[in-house]
Structure formats: structure tokens, C-alpha cells
Amino acid sequence: MFSKVIIAEDQDDINQGVYIALCDLGISEIEQTQYCDDTFVKVKRAAMDGRPYELLITDLFFKEDHRYQKYTSGDSLANALKKEYPDMKTIVYSVEDRFQKVRSIMIPGDIDAYVCKGRKGLDELKEAICKVYEGESYLSPQVRAAMSPKADTEINDYDITIIKQLALGLSQPEISRYMEQEGISPYSLSSVEKRINKLKDIFRAKNPAHLVAIAKDMGLV
Amino acid sequence: MKLFKNSFPFLFIFLLCFCTQNSYAIQQPADSLLYYYPIINQPTNHTDLSDAFTYFEKKRKESLREKDTLNAIFYARYVAEVQNKLGFLYESEVTTIEALKLLDLAGGKDTLIEPRIGLYNHLGMLCRQRHDYDKALYYYNNSLNIAITEEHRYAVWNNMANVYKDQRKYDKAIVELEKVYGYAIQSKNDIILSRSLNNLGVVQAKLGLSEGLSNMEKALALRKKINYIPGIITSYTHLIDYYLDNGRREKAAALAEEARKVAYSSNNPKWRSHVLSRIIDLKEDPDVLAFKKYTDSVSNADLMQRNKYISAKYNFEAQERRARESELQRVKERSRRIVFQFVLLFIILISFLVYRYLRIRQKRKILQEVSASEARISRKMHDEIANDMYRVMTNLQTRHQLSGEILDDLDDIYSRTRDISREIQTPESGKDYADILKGLLLQFRTEKVNIILNGLSGISWDSVKEDKKRMLYKILQELMVNMRKHSEASVVLLQFRRSGKNVLVEYKDNGKGCDLGKGSGLTNAETRMKLVGGTISFVSEPGEGFRAKIII
């Protein structure tokens, strides 16, 4: 498990919660900071001292006050640190659960985990720390869909063609042959089969007939 | 060269007097002019006048083409004179009036007085010929108003006196002729003096004044003294007329014999016929008298007819001209009216458009302000209130070991706060819009409902205006929130397509639908959509799912 962790969080009570969670995981050295700039300096100092932090847990939003801050948000801090210390892991811990924000933070690939503050936030944080320690990434369940692959949500003309042929009563091998004739690839039976299964998932359909019924309802075919 | 050419007509008088040679350039036209000028006054054969007309008209048109206004006026005066001689009174008047217009355009009134007086006098003469005496006097008065030399006035007074004589207003004629006489005395020219004296005497005699006869006799004596034959003959004929009017036939006959001697000595057939005609008047032979009476009445009838013809022609032409002018006026007025109507219509249209534009701009501004403040509230609620609530929750959870029930309640409030914030949030601009939309839509994906997108990645959003994108985002968000709250749908399909300049978005779900008549919260979506230049329409029936079509 990580031994040296730094937390950037301006809310004392939350700090307290995170601290307890980290203690539960048996992390010995926990540094808490209230300002992004302080965090930056401390990480730098530790690295110069030859004892770098292994993990940064940061909030995204920091209330502005009288102190001028070079880094005003958690993601700008994380990005700056990642450039200098690529080995240090980063977990964002935030109330922010809008997908567009999550996507904008996670897509560049610098952040290892995104945990939403919520009823189960601390449990998810613990899980995230474990995953990140093992070199994996983690997303809280409520924002996981934000990063789901495109194929899960977007259908294209190929999909519509398959559903149309299903609606016409063609079997899967017949669809495969049809695709081959029309010069549409991939047309192999296995890819058609795979695609139909995927479409059943997407349309929450129990079987191909159900899929056609829903697609018809939606006016797709 | 150019200078010589332009000033040529005015040099003409000079040339006429001295006949000196100048450059070659002016010699040739000078020859023609010298040839045609005397013809106007004394045509020798029946084609002379028409030849002169052709020549002067050609020169006039040439001058007009070359925009040589002064020469054009110069030649126009000759043209008018020839036209008058040929009996084309109306044409003569038209030519004169055109020349006057040219004069007005030429400006420099002071330097062009001579031609102006000449033109007015000519017009007056034309009017007198067709017995339009008022008009004639009007033109002569115009002349008088601008006349600067006594010589000018002298000619005009004479002309006016002739008009009064024609009108038998002898008392008025006397006034003018006395002025002429006054000038004549100063002129020290016996011909002018004798003529004015004679004219004055004739009118005085007509009024029965005693000076009449003595003035006429004085004039005859003066003319005899300088042996001015035409004057002597004129004096005799006037005296003969006078004695005849007064019933003194013997005296008249004696004067006629004297006149005959003078006329026969002059060898001029014109004078001879003149005097003979008077002598015949005095004969008592009934045949002669009858012949004289008939020839007089025939020539009088001819003259009357000619005058009638002239005045009819003048009236006809004038009427036609007036008709043309009024037609022109009418056309002008109509086109002016059309232009005016156009301008009015244009102004109305423009002001309407401006009004609409300002209204829309105002609404947009309000819309922008609303969305800006909504964004601010949303952020504050999310970043501050939700955060604080979470802080309290964590605090309670970690420090006080509270029961799960209270924590669940708090969590519920926490998530509802965030939901409100989310409902009024606005997208960040400038980023990949398709990605922002996707983030928004996928947020509504749960275990129960899947969101299916079609065509979103293929749309290029760069050409779509920012306010339209923001509105589309909000409307889609409202649709999705509505869907989550009410529809119980398991599948939502969102199709994106380009149609021309616009983007077409179709929303469909397989939920329980709703009765649109009841008025959902989406009704004002139509108004808001219109504001940014888009449209939205809904189709739904209970149990039939919900559909929306957005064009933006």
C-alpha cells in the first residue's frame, strides 16, 4: 500500500473523513493541505528531499479567499504536478459528477481515478486507492458511464441495416450473406452475431424479435 | 482658334463695319453670313428666305452640338426672324423662347442684355401680329426693365406706341411717342427726329389736338430739308389721310400731286405705287372707287384670314404644347408619386425590420442574462451548497456515528440539490460541442434506461451559432429530465442529422408518453427555440412514447 500520501482539500470535515479512510487502509504518512499552491510546494520539497509523495488526493473546487493562488483548481494542480512527477498517482475526489466535467478531466489520461463525494464516497475512495495502487484506474459508479466506449451508445448505419434485415425476417446467416452481396463489411456471420447481441444490450431487448419491436417503436426501421 | 470661333458672332458686327481680313478660319463662315444677313431684310427671289433659314438653322444646331451657347442664341435670333418673315409665327416664337432659355442657362445676365432685349422685342412683335396686345406689352415691358441705354428704350417705346395705336389707345400712344421724341431731339439725327415728330403728330391729330398738324408739317419740312425720300412720301401719305379725315379733299389732292412728283423723281416703284394708291383714293370715278373698295375688302379679307389662320394655328400649337406639358407633368407627378410611395414603403419596411431586430436583440439579451445568472446560481449551488452538505454528512458520518437513516435523508437532500443545479447548468462554450452533448445525454443513462445516439459524431458544429448550441443543450436537458421523471422509458433514441444549413435532432423514447394538451413544462421551449431561430415540435399520445423534433 502507499506509504506517503498528500491531500488537497479545503474543508476540514471532509479532510477528517478522508484522513480516517486513509488510516483504515494503513497509510502511515498523511499530509493535509488547504491550498493548491501549498500542495505544490510540499510535493516539490518532498521530491527534493528524496522522499516523494506517492499519491495525491485532490478536490476540484477550492473556495477563493484573500490568498492569491497560482493553482485555483484541483485539475490544474494535478496537471502541473503530473508534468514534473509522472510517477505520482492522482485521485480526484469531488462533488462534481457532471459527465462533461468528468470526461474533460479523465480523457487526457493524467488522472488515475475519479471518486464522487456522496453517501458511499469514502468507501469508493478506499476502493479507488487500492485499484490505483495496483496500477488500475477507477471511476465512481455514477460517473462510470461518462467514459463508456462509443460503441455502447452510438449506433450507426451498419447497425440500422442489420436491424432492418432482421425486421424483414432474415436469419443471421441470411443477413451475413446479404451484407456480403451489398459489399458491407464486416459481413462474417460471427461479426453479425456479435453486433446483434450488442444491439440487444443497447436496446435492452431480450431477443432479436424484441429488438426489432423496439427499433420499430423508435421509428428506426 | 477656339477663342476666335466662340466670339465670332460678336466679331461679326466689327467685321461688317471694317471688312478687314482676319485669319482664314473665320473667313469662310463670314462670307456665308455676309451673304445671308441682308437677304433677311431684302429677299430677291422666292427661295432666298428658305435658303437663309436652312443656313441659320444648320449653324444654330451646330452651335448647340458644340455647346456653344452664345453662338446658338445668335443664330436662333436670325432663324426666328426668317421664320417670322416666312409667316411661321408660332415656330418663330418657339425658336425665340428656346433662345431665351439658353440665355437663362448661360448666366451672366449683365453681359447678355442686348440679345435678351432683342428676343423680348421679337416676341412682342410676334404677339402684336396676332393681336395679342397684352402679351406684346408684357414682353416690351420686360425689355424696358433690363434696358440700359437710351437707344434700347427708344426702340421699345416706339414698339409700345405701335401697339397702343393698334388698340386705338391714342392717349397712351402719345405718352410713349413723347418719350421717343425726347430721345430723338437728343440724338441730333434728323431722320430719327423727323420720324418721331411725324408719328407724334399723326396720333395727336387722331386725338384732335391742334399740334398734330403742325408737328406733321414740321416733320415734312425737316425731311424735305435733308431730302429723305421715304420719309417725305410717308409724311405726305399721313397728311393726305389727315385732310381726308377732316373732309378737305382739295388740300389732300394738292398734297397728292406734290407727293407724285417726289415719288416719280425717286424712280422707286414702291413709292410710286404707294402714292398712286393715295391718288386713286381721291378720284371720284365710281368704277375706280368700286374697284378700290373691292380690292381693299379682298385684301382685308385675305389679311383677316391670314391672321385668323395664324392665331388658330398659334392657339392649336399652344394648346398642343400645353397638353404635352401637362402630360409630361402628369407622368412626372406619377413617377414622383410612385417613387414617394416606394420610399414610404421602404421606410415602413425598414422600420418594421429594425423594430423586429431590436426586439429580438432585446429578447436575446434577456435570454443571455438569464442563462448567465442561471449558470452562476447553478455553480454556486453545486460548488458551495452541495459541497457544504457533503461536508456536514461526512462530519456526521465520521465523528458521530449517526444512524444510516438520517444519513440517507441527508444524502437525498444532497443529491436533490445537485439535481436542481444540474437542471439549470449551462454548457461550457468553446469545447468540443459533440462531446459536451454526449456527456449531458449519457448522464441520464441508468440500469433501467439506455440512451442511444445516432449521427452525433458526424455533425460538425462549428458553423452553428453559440446561442443556438446553448439553447439546444438546455432543451435536450429538459427533455431528458422530463424523460427521467415521467416516462418510465427503457430506450431513448436521439438522432442527429444535417439538413442544409440546419441541424435536425429527433428525440424518441418508448415510455408511456403524455397528453400534450395538458400543457407540460416544455411549452415555453417553443418560444425559447424561436428566439434563437430554431423550431421544436412534439408528438405524443398516452402509451405511445414521446417524440420531439428540433430544427436548429
Side-chain angles (χ1 to χ4, degrees):
Chain A
M1 185 42 65
F2 294 113
S3 57
K4 196 169 178 185
V5 176
I6 187 163
I7 305 164
E9 168 66 72
D10 58 352
Q11 305 266 6
D12 282 343
D13 296 325
I14 297 174
N15 255 332
Q16 192 63 32
V18 175
Y19 186 82
I20 292 166
L22 291 183
C23 291
D24 286 351
L25 287 172
I27 294 166
S28 51
E29 214 170 321
I30 304 165
E31 182 64 41
Q32 291 177 307
T33 54
Q34 310 241 342
Y35 295 95
C36 291
D37 287 10
D38 288 355
T39 318
F40 189 81
V41 171
K42 281 189 176 164
V43 170
K44 236 180 160 162
R45 175 86 237 167
M48 280 160 73
D49 291 345
R51 293 196 61 254
Y53 287 103
E54 296 157 325
L55 175 67
L56 164 72
I57 298 171
T58 180
D59 194 3
L60 284 180
F61 174 75
F62 290 82
K63 263 187 200 161
E64 278 177 37
D65 63 9
H66 58 278
R67 264 183 66 172
Y68 168 78
Q69 296 290 302
K70 187 178 173 193
Y71 303 104
T72 52
S73 67
D75 45 338
S76 62
L77 170 72
N79 286 338
L81 284 174
K82 199 76 185 178
K83 258 180 219 147
E84 292 196 35
Y85 312 104
D87 290 340
M88 189 175 73
K89 303 284 183 190
T90 309
I91 295 173
V92 168
Y93 185 54
S94 170
V95 290
E96 182 65 78
D97 63 352
R98 279 175 291 192
F99 279 22
Q100 65 201 68
K101 189 79 188 171
V102 177
R103 286 170 69 81
S104 74
I105 286 170
M106 295 305 287
I107 284 172
D110 290 341
I111 311 294
D112 300 286
Y114 194 103
V115 180
C116 293
K117 291 176 180 172
R119 178 76 169 84
K120 301 191 176 72
L122 288 177
D123 296 334
E124 286 164 19
L125 184 61
K126 284 183 200 166
E127 200 184 338
I129 292 169
C130 296
K131 290 263 187 185
V132 169
Y133 183 69
E134 284 159 25
E136 289 173 40
S137 66
Y138 179 86
L139 284 171
S140 280
Q142 65 260 47
V143 295
R144 217 163 279 168
M147 299 302 290
S148 64
K150 183 179 159 188
D152 279 4
T153 52
E154 257 197 285
I155 57 168
N156 51 31
D157 291 349
Y158 180 82
D159 302 320
I160 294 172
T161 311
I162 288 182
I163 300 172
K164 268 187 186 154
Q165 298 312 310
L166 274 179
L168 290 172
L170 267 61
S171 69
Q172 291 180 6
E174 281 167 339
I175 293 173
S176 165
R177 269 202 297 285
Y178 170 82
M179 303 288 244
E180 189 178 0
Q181 274 164 18
E182 293 292 312
I184 303 166
S185 69
Y187 56 81
S188 69
L189 182 56
S190 70
S191 11
V192 170
E193 221 169 89
K194 228 188 248 169
R195 201 60 211 159
I196 289 174
N197 282 331
K198 192 83 193 170
L199 285 170
K200 279 196 310 196
D201 276 355
I202 290 174
F203 282 87
R204 308 280 152 103
K206 296 182 182 78
N207 51 51
H210 193 198
L211 170 66
V212 168
I214 296 170
K216 268 225 144 81
D217 276 351
M218 304 304 260
L220 255 184
V221 291
Chain B
M1 287 288 277
K2 178 89 182 162
L3 185 77
F4 273 119
K5 218 174 161 189
N6 281 345
S7 53
F8 164 65
F10 299 100
L11 276 175
F12 170 64
I13 308 293
F14 175 79
L15 283 171
L16 209 62
C17 295
F18 299 97
C19 273
T20 48
Q21 291 290 321
N22 235 317
S23 70
Y24 174 73
I26 60 168
Q27 219 169 17
Q28 206 259 330
D31 284 350
S32 302
L33 194 63
L34 284 172
Y35 171 71
Y36 284 113
Y37 179 68
I39 279 178
I40 299 177
N41 289 319
Q42 281 177 316
T44 52
N45 66 53
H46 64 279
T47 60
D48 271 0
L49 275 177
S50 61
D51 287 347
F53 172 78
T54 312
Y55 169 73
F56 287 124
E57 180 67 3
K58 198 184 92 196
K59 296 301 280 182
R60 184 181 77 95
K61 284 189 172 152
E62 268 173 26
S63 307
L64 276 178
R65 254 202 314 280
E66 288 163 16
K67 305 220 183 294
D68 184 352
T69 313
L70 294 183
N71 264 346
I73 295 165
F74 174 79
Y75 286 116
R77 287 179 67 184
Y78 284 122
V79 170
E81 208 163 306
V82 177
Q83 283 170 324
N84 181 35
K85 289 260 150 104
L86 287 167
F88 294 120
L89 263 64
Y90 174 75
E91 286 79 358
S92 179
E93 182 168 342
V94 168
T95 309
T96 315
I97 284 176
E98 271 172 17
L100 266 178
K101 278 184 190 158
L102 282 177
L103 255 186
D104 287 343
L105 289 176
K109 278 190 177 169
D110 301 341
T111 55
L112 294 171
I113 284 173
E114 202 282 319
R116 191 175 287 271
I117 291 176
L119 289 168
Y120 280 143
N121 283 347
H122 188 74
L123 281 172
M125 190 188 64
L126 291 171
C127 291
R128 185 182 158 217
Q129 281 188 60
R130 52 164 215 271
H131 307 305
D132 191 347
Y133 299 120
D134 292 342
K135 204 121 182 237
L137 288 172
Y138 163 77
Y139 283 126
Y140 289 142
N141 273 320
N142 278 352
S143 278
L144 218 47
N145 284 339
I146 54 169
I148 39 170
T149 68
E150 282 293 307
E151 202 183 334
H152 291 149
R153 292 199 190 97
Y154 159 74
V156 179
W157 289 329
N158 242 332
N159 287 336
M160 288 173 90
N162 283 334
V163 173
Y164 290 134
K165 258 199 281 187
D166 285 355
Q167 290 180 295
R168 298 178 192 283
K169 292 178 178 169
Y170 297 116
D171 44 347
K172 285 195 176 177
I174 279 186
V175 175
E176 304 303 327
L177 288 171
E178 275 169 350
K179 285 192 243 170
V180 174
Y181 180 57
Y183 169 78
I185 291 170
Q186 280 175 4
S187 76
K188 303 219 162 60
N189 182 328
D190 284 342
I191 292 179
I192 293 175
L193 184 63
S194 59
R195 186 192 296 144
S196 69
L197 202 56
N198 182 55
N199 286 344
L200 183 64
V202 168
V203 175
Q204 282 169 333
K206 286 274 181 200
L207 282 170
L209 296 172
S210 55
E211 308 97 288
L213 182 60
S214 66
N215 277 340
M216 281 158 79
E217 279 169 344
K218 257 193 251 174
L220 177 60
L222 191 57
R223 280 167 165 172
K224 277 180 177 165
K225 199 180 99 191
I226 55 168
N227 197 26
Y228 179 51
I229 307 288
I232 296 169
I233 301 222
T234 311
S235 275
Y236 275 129
T237 53
H238 281 138
L239 281 166
I240 291 166
D241 286 346
Y242 170 80
Y243 286 121
L244 273 179
D245 283 353
N246 287 290
R248 293 170 66 182
R249 188 168 286 272
E250 310 86 60
K251 183 79 180 158
L255 284 174
E257 281 311 312
E258 280 181 41
R260 188 210 292 264
K261 275 178 211 155
V262 176
Y264 275 64
S265 72
S266 80
N267 231 353
N268 185 324
K270 198 170 158 194
W271 300 127
R272 286 185 188 183
S273 86
H274 218 75
V275 172
L276 272 176
S277 148
R278 281 291 181 280
I279 290 172
I280 288 169
D281 283 348
L282 296 166
K283 297 280 181 200
E284 302 275 357
D285 183 7
D287 283 348
V288 170
L289 284 179
F291 172 74
K292 181 80 179 165
K293 194 180 155 199
Y294 290 131
T295 44
D296 276 4
S297 74
V298 165
S299 74
N300 258 350
D302 274 357
L303 194 71
M304 287 275 281
Q305 213 156 17
R306 190 169 162 256
N307 279 346
K308 262 192 187 156
Y309 167 74
I310 286 166
S311 99
K313 182 178 162 112
Y314 177 82
N315 284 338
F316 174 73
E317 301 263 12
Q319 221 164 1
E320 213 174 43
R321 188 181 52 185
R322 267 201 300 279
R324 265 204 309 275
E325 274 169 4
S326 72
E327 171 67 17
L328 202 73
Q329 187 73 13
R330 225 163 47 79
V331 169
K332 259 190 198 163
E333 247 164 47
R334 212 178 48 196
S335 62
R336 209 178 297 152
R337 203 164 52 232
I338 289 171
V339 167
F340 177 73
Q341 281 169 347
F342 250 111
V343 167
L344 197 73
L345 202 73
F346 186 69
I347 289 171
I348 290 172
L349 200 76
I350 287 288
S351 38
F352 176 72
L353 288 178
V354 167
Y355 170 75
R356 267 196 55 146
Y357 170 74
L358 288 179
R359 240 177 82 101
I360 289 175
R361 209 176 63 162
Q362 175 72 6
K363 276 191 181 172
R364 277 194 189 168
K365 216 172 132 190
I366 291 172
L367 205 70
Q368 274 169 10
E369 275 166 19
V370 166
S371 82
S373 59
E374 274 182 352
R376 206 174 50 247
I377 293 166
S378 161
R379 203 175 49 241
K380 264 195 160 6
M381 203 141 83
H382 194 272
D383 293 347
E384 293 178 19
I385 299 180
N387 223 4
D388 279 355
M389 288 205 43
Y390 181 68
R391 179 176 57 78
V392 174
M393 255 165 64
T394 328
N395 191 359
L396 292 174
Q397 200 175 1
T398 48
R399 292 210 189 143
H400 304 282
Q401 304 295 324
L402 273 181
S403 76
E405 223 171 284
I406 292 173
L407 281 175
D408 284 347
D409 275 356
L410 271 176
D411 187 48
D412 185 42
I413 297 169
Y414 168 63
S415 61
R416 263 162 41 210
T417 313
R418 288 192 309 169
D419 279 351
I420 295 169
S421 144
R422 189 179 293 144
E423 272 172 36
I424 56 178
Q425 74 184 330
T426 42
E428 299 154 75
S429 57
K431 291 193 179 167
D432 179 2
Y433 185 70
D435 205 50
I436 290 171
L437 265 194
K438 196 172 174 184
L440 167 79
L441 297 169
L442 292 185
Q443 218 161 297
F444 293 87
R445 187 157 81 155
T446 61
E447 294 302 312
K448 289 192 199 93
V449 54
N450 196 21
I451 315 292
I452 304 165
L453 306 176
N454 179 219
L456 176 57
S457 320
I459 304 276
S460 77
W461 294 93
D462 293 344
S463 59
V464 182
K465 276 192 185 159
E466 206 54 50
D467 57 344
K468 284 189 173 186
K469 287 194 231 177
R470 207 174 300 131
M471 188 53 75
L472 178 63
Y473 181 94
K474 294 219 78 151
I475 299 278
L476 284 178
Q477 187 174 40
E478 279 166 41
L479 280 172
M480 296 307 276
V481 169
N482 230 39
M483 181 274 295
R484 189 173 59 189
K485 278 184 187 160
H486 310 295
S487 77
E488 294 172 21
S490 64
V491 177
V492 175
L493 174 67
L494 282 143
Q495 285 176 289
F496 295 81
R497 248 172 300 163
R498 267 250 165 219
S499 79
K501 284 197 308 180
N502 303 313
V503 175
L504 174 74
V505 183
E506 279 183 283
Y507 167 98
K508 292 166 195 160
D509 70 31
N510 62 351
K512 57 184 187 177
C514 68
D515 189 352
L516 284 171
K518 279 181 186 168
S520 64
L522 284 162
T523 42
N524 77 13
E526 289 171 20
T527 331
R528 282 180 292 154
M529 219 49 187
K530 249 185 216 157
L531 272 181
V532 294
T535 59
I536 181 166
S537 54
F538 306 105
V539 182
S540 187
E541 290 269 326
E544 291 288 305
F546 189 88
R547 290 172 185 217
K549 193 172 184 178
I550 301 167
I551 298 170
I552 203 159

